[in-house]
Amino acid sequence: MLFWLLDISYHPSKPEIYLWGLSKLGEKVLLAVERYPYYFYALPEEGATLDVLVKRVQGVPGVKKVEVVKRKLLGKEKTVLKIFCPHHKRDRVVKEVEKVKGVVECLEDDIRYSDRYLIDEDFLPCTWYEVEVEEKLSLIHIS
């Protein structure tokens, strides 16, 4: 399906991204991306034992998964923890992760869920995209 991306939003409590747009025929289109993961990063202290730190962070309520990854911070490559959690619990999870011994700070935790999708998937509004979709029809009540 070819569509023109106009806007993006997300469900407040489900892991769903909504892409609002127009088809090539000018019809209104709403694409839902289900189960898109939300994540942020935590910067470990210099010399921290990563295995121990990962276990501590995994013990924080709301944390679904933790990965050790390399990312650039101010032009220098750093080893950081990539922390997955439900987007609607982000603020609570970030506050608790920042309290974990061995964590200096959380990074990219201020990126909105829908913006994270745009960044990761390299989407820009007001651009044509060819996507594969599974058509689902449902009635949505708006009050």
Side-chain angles (χ1 to χ4, degrees), residues 76-128:
K76 295 182 181 177
E77 189 171 271
K78 298 279 186 178
T79 299
V80 296
L81 303 182
K82 186 174 184 179
I83 302 166
F84 295 84
C85 70
H87 72 89
H88 62 282
K89 295 182 179 180
R90 169 188 68 191
D91 293 338
R92 281 182 276 159
V93 172
V94 168
K95 284 180 186 176
E96 292 304 313
V97 169
E98 286 179 330
K99 294 177 187 176
V100 171
K101 184 179 178 188
V103 172
V104 175
E105 67 178 318
C106 290
L107 306 167
E108 297 189 11
D109 55 295
D110 57 345
I111 296 178
R112 201 168 45 142
Y113 181 51
S114 54
D115 290 344
R116 166 65 60 206
Y117 180 81
L118 290 176
I119 293 165
D120 290 350
E121 301 302 321
D122 201 24
F123 271 76
L124 294 172
C126 299
T127 305
W128 287 104

Side-chain angles (χ1 to χ4, degrees), residues 13-135:
S13 61
K14 289 196 243 178
E16 290 183 354
I17 302 289
Y18 302 121
L19 303 170
W20 302 84
L22 298 172
S23 73
K24 63 183 175 184
L25 301 174
E27 302 164 319
K28 293 177 185 175
V29 174
L30 172 60
L31 303 177
V33 180
E34 299 173 331
R35 295 177 296 283
Y36 192 77
Y38 177 79
Y39 64 89
F40 62 95
Y41 299 100
L43 180 64
E45 290 178 348
E46 282 292 323
T49 306
L50 293 177
D51 292 345
V52 172
L53 190 55
V54 165
K55 287 179 184 173
R56 286 181 190 154
V57 171
Q58 285 174 331
V60 171
V63 170
K64 299 292 183 195
K65 183 170 79 168
V66 180
E67 298 175 355
V68 177
V69 297
K70 300 273 188 195
R71 289 291 179 264
K72 287 204 175 190
L73 178 64
L74 302 173
K76 295 182 181 177
E77 189 171 271
K78 298 279 186 178
T79 299
V80 296
L81 303 182
K82 186 174 184 179
I83 302 166
F84 295 84
C85 70
H87 72 89
H88 62 282
K89 295 182 179 180
R90 169 188 68 191
D91 293 338
R92 281 182 276 159
V93 172
V94 168
K95 284 180 186 176
E96 292 304 313
V97 169
E98 286 179 330
K99 294 177 187 176
V100 171
K101 184 179 178 188
V103 172
V104 175
E105 67 178 318
C106 290
L107 306 167
E108 297 189 11
D109 55 295
D110 57 345
I111 296 178
R112 201 168 45 142
Y113 181 51
S114 54
D115 290 344
R116 166 65 60 206
Y117 180 81
L118 290 176
I119 293 165
D120 290 350
E121 301 302 321
D122 201 24
F123 271 76
L124 294 172
C126 299
T127 305
W128 287 104
Y129 291 99
E130 182 74 36
V131 294
E132 289 184 31
V133 297
E134 177 183 318
E135 192 169 336

